[in-house]
Amino acid sequence: MPVHYVPPIKVTSQRLILDNEKLRRANAKVTTGVAYKYGDLLTLSAANVLTHATDESTWDVICGQDVTVAEATIKATDKIEIPIYFGGVFNLEAVTLNGTLLAVTKYDAARAKATKNNIELSKV
């Protein structure tokens, strides 16, 4: 019988939520034609509508669900909201800006804004 060698693989993933007991959730509307990723830093309008933060210091909440462009269009049309996090302890190395992990040089600004938002961004 031939021997099959399976090379080792390395899977890297970062857990976003670090403390379920302190977690605070709500729901908000999405924007038509915009994709959202779990862990994205988002801004929340007075109309309870989410948009992507322009940078690491201009966000309000953290996205709680992946949403494709097609799904966002359907959700926006039907006024279906998605979960967002507005309190709790989160992994700084797992939050993203429009699907891209933050650069290490952006951590301080993101953490400062998190403190103002009553959210804790911890480095694990």
Side-chain angles (χ1 to χ4, degrees):
M1 180 179 275
V3 176
H4 296 282
Y5 176 71
V6 178
I9 61 169
K10 181 179 180 181
V11 177
T12 304
S13 65
Q14 295 285 347
R15 192 167 142 211
L16 177 64
I17 300 168
L18 299 178
D19 187 344
N20 284 326
E21 291 183 20
K22 295 181 180 178
L23 192 63
R24 300 202 57 195
R25 271 187 41 176
N27 294 304
K29 300 171 195 164
V30 295
T31 304
T32 300
V34 176
Y36 298 86
K37 295 297 277 180
Y38 178 72
D40 272 345
L41 300 177
L42 304 172
T43 58
L44 183 64
S45 75
N48 200 36
V49 177
L50 299 166
T51 55
H52 286 283
T54 55
D55 62 43
E56 67 285 347
S57 62
T58 60
W59 61 278
D60 302 310
V61 297
I62 299 173
C63 186
Q65 176 182 347
D66 284 340
V67 179
T68 66
V69 170
E71 291 169 337
T73 300
I74 292 167
K75 288 178 184 297
T77 301
D78 293 341
K79 299 189 180 5
I80 299 170
E81 299 180 343
I82 66 168
I84 55 170
Y85 302 115
F86 66 93
V89 182
F90 298 89
N91 184 354
L92 178 61
E93 296 172 320
V95 295
T96 57
L97 273 174
N98 206 3
T100 303
L101 291 171
L102 292 180
V104 174
T105 57
K106 308 292 184 179
Y107 284 1
D108 288 339
R111 290 181 78 196
K113 182 63 174 171
T115 300
K116 291 179 181 180
N117 291 349
N118 295 315
I119 293 174
E120 184 180 335
L121 289 179
S122 296
K123 189 168 179 196
V124 184

